[in-house]
Amino acid sequence: MSEADQRMRIGELSARTGVSIRSLRYYEQRGLLTSTRTTGAQRLYPEDAVDRVRMLRRLFDAGLSSETIAALLPCVDTPSDDITVETLEVMRRERERIDAQISALLTTRDHLDALMAGAADHLARQRDDALAATA
């Protein structure tokens, strides 16, 4: 099997990752993902592009920008001579930002739990009152 036969087209990568073709093209435009081209200019991606796209999606979902992700990729693509003190600092800042988001989400969840408990108590009192009125 030739190397080209082991590669997938953009539609297959999209189907396997759940990421739109438009997004995959954007990732490539921003230097986050690479492909080779057929003689007909169709994009071909290696098998490991599936994991790469899933990782990119997780980073985007966590709120990282494409510029920040591009700055972090040398750490993903190790060994790399492009890892710098600044790269490490970007990762630290992003981790702190994500930790703050997690803390805020936990607080919101706790408030929601309290609201749910109050609503459940209210419904139980209404049910008890309705039963007492019919007795």
Side-chain angles (χ1 to χ4, degrees):
M1 184 178 272
S2 73
E3 185 177 322
D5 293 335
Q6 296 173 350
R7 295 180 174 263
M8 68 191 95
R9 291 195 167 112
I10 196 168
E12 182 182 351
L13 182 58
S14 174
R16 289 181 61 188
T17 60
V19 174
S20 72
I21 290 172
R22 183 176 182 194
S23 292
L24 295 173
R25 288 181 180 137
Y26 173 77
Y27 298 170
E28 195 167 339
Q29 177 188 22
R30 302 299 295 170
L32 308 176
L33 183 65
T34 58
S35 68
T36 57
R37 300 291 180 121
T38 66
T39 54
Q42 291 183 328
R43 290 173 170 88
L44 294 176
Y45 297 93
E47 183 63 31
D48 63 359
V50 172
D51 290 334
R52 174 78 162 217
V53 169
R54 288 178 179 153
M55 183 241 351
L56 292 172
R57 196 65 257 149
R58 283 191 305 272
L59 294 173
F60 277 116
D61 289 347
L64 279 70
S65 69
S66 59
E67 293 81 13
T68 299
I69 294 170
L72 303 179
L73 286 181
C75 295
V76 174
D77 299 331
T78 54
S80 172
D81 293 332
D82 295 329
I83 297 173
T84 64
V85 172
E86 291 80 18
T87 303
L88 188 57
E89 184 55 34
V90 167
M91 287 188 285
R92 281 190 187 116
R93 277 195 313 269
E94 286 302 321
R95 188 177 193 293
E96 288 171 2
R97 184 187 60 75
I98 291 169
D99 280 345
Q101 283 182 315
I102 290 169
S103 178
L105 286 170
L106 290 171
T107 299
T108 301
R109 184 190 64 189
D110 291 345
H111 287 287
L112 186 57
D113 286 346
L115 289 172
M116 290 168 51
D121 288 346
H122 177 73
L123 289 174
R125 280 193 304 277
Q126 283 182 325
R127 184 190 68 234
D128 292 345
D129 290 347
L131 288 173
T134 60

